[in-house]
Amino acid sequence: MQLDRAEKYEFLQPVYGLSFVDDIFEKSPEMRDEYYHHYKTVNIKDRRKQIKGLETGMERGMEEGRKIMAASCLKKGLSPEEIIEPTGLTVEEIIALRDK
């Protein structure tokens, strides 16, 4: 579900992905743990359209992803108070992002 700009975030929930791989990705022992899952959110009809911030957030880790999401919300005109719940950041952290 995608929310419009003025809609409340109260219905948003965390999203978890589960994937099964039926083969060993890195077979050499020294590279066994040297990989990460890479997710993208892409428009099915026009694959050039994708959510860049989400992809970057997944690559950089959860904390960085929250900050990217908050910065994006600030650019769209949401107040710091509206951004607290979906990101889990404090008002101070959100204001610091706004003031950058």
Side-chain angles (χ1 to χ4, degrees), residues 49-75:
K49 294 180 180 176
Q50 55 185 287
I51 301 176
K52 293 282 188 182
L54 176 65
E55 181 180 356
T56 303
M58 297 293 259
E59 289 175 10
R60 293 184 184 170
M62 195 67 138
E63 187 63 30
E64 188 68 22
R66 288 185 183 119
K67 290 178 181 176
I68 291 167
M69 180 181 179
S72 176
C73 290
L74 287 168
K75 286 180 187 174

Side-chain angles (χ1 to χ4, degrees), residues 16-80:
Y16 300 92
L18 175 66
S19 46
F20 296 96
V21 180
D22 65 352
D23 196 8
I24 297 172
F25 178 67
E26 286 290 352
K27 297 190 178 14
S28 65
E30 62 274 357
M31 296 297 287
R32 188 180 75 187
D33 296 323
E34 300 299 322
Y35 66 90
Y36 65 91
H37 295 275
H38 181 86
Y39 295 92
K40 270 187 180 179
T41 302
V42 180
N43 183 303
I44 294 171
K45 294 182 179 177
D46 184 352
R47 296 195 172 266
R48 293 172 297 171
K49 294 180 180 176
Q50 55 185 287
I51 301 176
K52 293 282 188 182
L54 176 65
E55 181 180 356
T56 303
M58 297 293 259
E59 289 175 10
R60 293 184 184 170
M62 195 67 138
E63 187 63 30
E64 188 68 22
R66 288 185 183 119
K67 290 178 181 176
I68 291 167
M69 180 181 179
S72 176
C73 290
L74 287 168
K75 286 180 187 174
K76 292 178 181 174
L78 275 71
S79 70

